[in-house]
Amino acid sequence: MLLAMGTFTFGDSITKYLSEEMGVGQYIFLRGLFATTLIGLFALKKGALFHPSLDGKTIIRVLSEVFASVSYIYSLAHLSQAFCSAVFQANPLVVTLGAALFLREKVGWRRWLCIIIGLMGVLIIIRPGASGSESLLAITILLASIIFAASRDLVTRQISPQVPALYISTLTAAVITITGAILIKPMGGWQPLSLTAIAITAIAALLLIVGYHFIILAMREGEVSFVSPFRYSSLLWAMILSTLVFQQAPDFYTIVGALIIVASGIYMVYRESVLKKMAEAKSTLATIPTGVDPS
């Protein structure tokens, strides 16, 4: 998980760096082209490139991923990497909020308190009214990115396990590439590129794929309640890279707000782990015949 977050964050740094040389649409198109090719070849090798059905949930998942990616890349091009990463740490809280509101999942008062405190941390970071009009637009789009990402995660839970993950990844990458092509003209047009910029874009696509692969390995090999908090290591990477590479060190409000969000998220993961163990214990007791000593 640490490697996954590291590769994602380095990929974000590349995105921000290249946004000074090309428009957002052009970058999304080029990175998507490389990513689609790499994922598509891997999916073809695994026999998961095509699937007989395309249901509504898969389509919603793909579109949510597209909007989340495009909006986050746009925000990253206009705001500091540390700021974007700190605000985006609220994603798990928004996912839990969405599960409670739309999927009718039971959320106790402790997790509701975590959500409220975490969202207060977001407000501390963005400080409504403290930004100019251009930054305000980028911040609004960043918040939209969190909502789209939460929607993606919630819909993913409902997709049939019969649909190969590689098929969804390839389809998503292809749609993002097409979206980038559509956005080239309205987002500054096509800019001449050096071979270095093209090569770095290819590296960004590779980092994206490697990051997703490491996440899959982490979630399959480790206990979720133990592994998940290490997702927040991306914030440390982002703050370091933002400071060293772009000379955009996080301010006091960003650090305080980020700590509040991370603390809320980690406690929520811990609480979900406790509830899961309690449910498993009840299930085990329910299978023990009456009159048998459970010890």
Side-chain angles (χ1 to χ4, degrees), residues 197-211:
I198 294 173
I200 294 176
T201 304
I203 292 172
L206 182 61
L207 288 175
L208 189 68
I209 296 170
V210 170

Side-chain angles (χ1 to χ4, degrees), residues 60-135:
I60 293 174
R61 196 270 178 202
V62 170
L63 293 178
S64 297
E65 178 73 66
V66 170
F67 285 119
S69 297
V70 172
S71 53
Y72 187 78
I73 290 173
Y74 176 87
S75 302
L76 195 59
H78 294 82
L79 301 167
S80 77
Q81 185 175 0
F83 182 95
C84 290
S85 180
V87 174
F88 206 82
Q89 302 307 314
N91 175 254
L93 302 174
V94 177
V95 169
T96 303
L97 176 62
L101 295 178
F102 301 108
L103 301 183
R104 305 300 180 187
E105 290 189 9
K106 186 178 179 181
V107 175
W109 68 269
R110 293 179 182 84
R111 286 189 288 171
W112 275 115
L113 186 60
C114 283
I115 293 172
I116 294 171
I117 294 174
L119 295 180
M120 288 174 61
V122 173
L123 290 176
I124 290 174
I125 296 172
I126 63 178
R127 283 165 290 157
S131 304
S133 58
E134 184 177 350
S135 295

Side-chain angles (χ1 to χ4, degrees), residues 11 14-15 17-19 21-35 38 190 193-209:
I14 291 175
T15 297
Y17 173 77
L18 289 177
S19 67
E21 187 169 340
M22 66 180 90
V24 171
Q26 184 178 356
Y27 175 76
I28 292 172
F29 170 71
L30 283 177
R31 191 185 72 168
L33 203 60
F34 285 118
L38 292 171
W190 186 270
L193 296 174
S194 64
L195 290 176
T196 302
I198 294 173
I200 294 176
T201 304
I203 292 172
L206 182 61
L207 288 175
L208 189 68
I209 296 170

Side-chain angles (χ1 to χ4, degrees), residues 25-252:
Q26 184 178 356
Y27 175 76
I28 292 172
F29 170 71
L30 283 177
R31 191 185 72 168
L33 203 60
F34 285 118
T36 303
T37 302
L38 292 171
I39 297 175
L41 290 173
F42 190 59
L44 181 63
K45 181 179 179 181
K46 296 291 183 179
L49 185 59
F50 302 102
H51 194 266
S53 64
L54 185 62
D55 61 3
K57 291 176 182 177
T58 301
I59 294 174
I60 293 174
R61 196 270 178 202
V62 170
L63 293 178
S64 297
E65 178 73 66
V66 170
F67 285 119
S69 297
V70 172
S71 53
Y72 187 78
I73 290 173
Y74 176 87
S75 302
L76 195 59
H78 294 82
L79 301 167
S80 77
Q81 185 175 0
F83 182 95
C84 290
S85 180
V87 174
F88 206 82
Q89 302 307 314
N91 175 254
L93 302 174
V94 177
V95 169
T96 303
L97 176 62
L101 295 178
F102 301 108
L103 301 183
R104 305 300 180 187
E105 290 189 9
K106 186 178 179 181
V107 175
W109 68 269
R110 293 179 182 84
R111 286 189 288 171
W112 275 115
L113 186 60
C114 283
I115 293 172
I116 294 171
I117 294 174
L119 295 180
M120 288 174 61
V122 173
L123 290 176
I124 290 174
I125 296 172
I126 63 178
R127 283 165 290 157
S131 304
S133 58
E134 184 177 350
S135 295
L136 182 60
L137 174 61
I139 290 171
T140 303
I141 293 175
L142 176 62
L143 295 175
S145 176
I146 297 174
I147 295 173
F148 286 128
S151 174
R152 171 203 64 198
D153 294 341
L154 290 171
V155 174
T156 301
R157 297 182 185 182
Q158 303 178 56
I159 295 176
S160 170
Q162 303 301 321
V163 181
L166 275 174
Y167 167 74
I168 298 175
S169 298
T170 306
L171 183 62
T172 302
V175 176
I176 289 177
T177 305
I178 295 170
T179 304
I182 295 172
L183 293 175
I184 289 176
K185 188 173 182 179
M187 289 191 169
W190 186 270
Q191 304 297 324
L193 296 174
S194 64
L195 290 176
T196 302
I198 294 173
I200 294 176
T201 304
I203 292 172
L206 182 61
L207 288 175
L208 189 68
I209 296 170
V210 170
Y212 278 125
H213 181 66
F214 281 149
I215 279 186
I216 292 171
L217 290 177
M219 301 306 286
R220 284 181 175 175
E221 299 296 331
E223 186 177 345
V224 175
S225 60
F226 177 78
V227 172
S228 292
F230 288 94
R231 287 178 180 268
Y232 294 108
S233 63
S234 63
L235 180 59
L236 179 60
W237 282 109
M239 288 184 173
I240 293 173
L241 291 171
S242 184
T243 302
L244 297 181
V245 178
F246 303 104
Q247 287 75 53
Q248 295 176 326
D251 60 17
F252 172 77

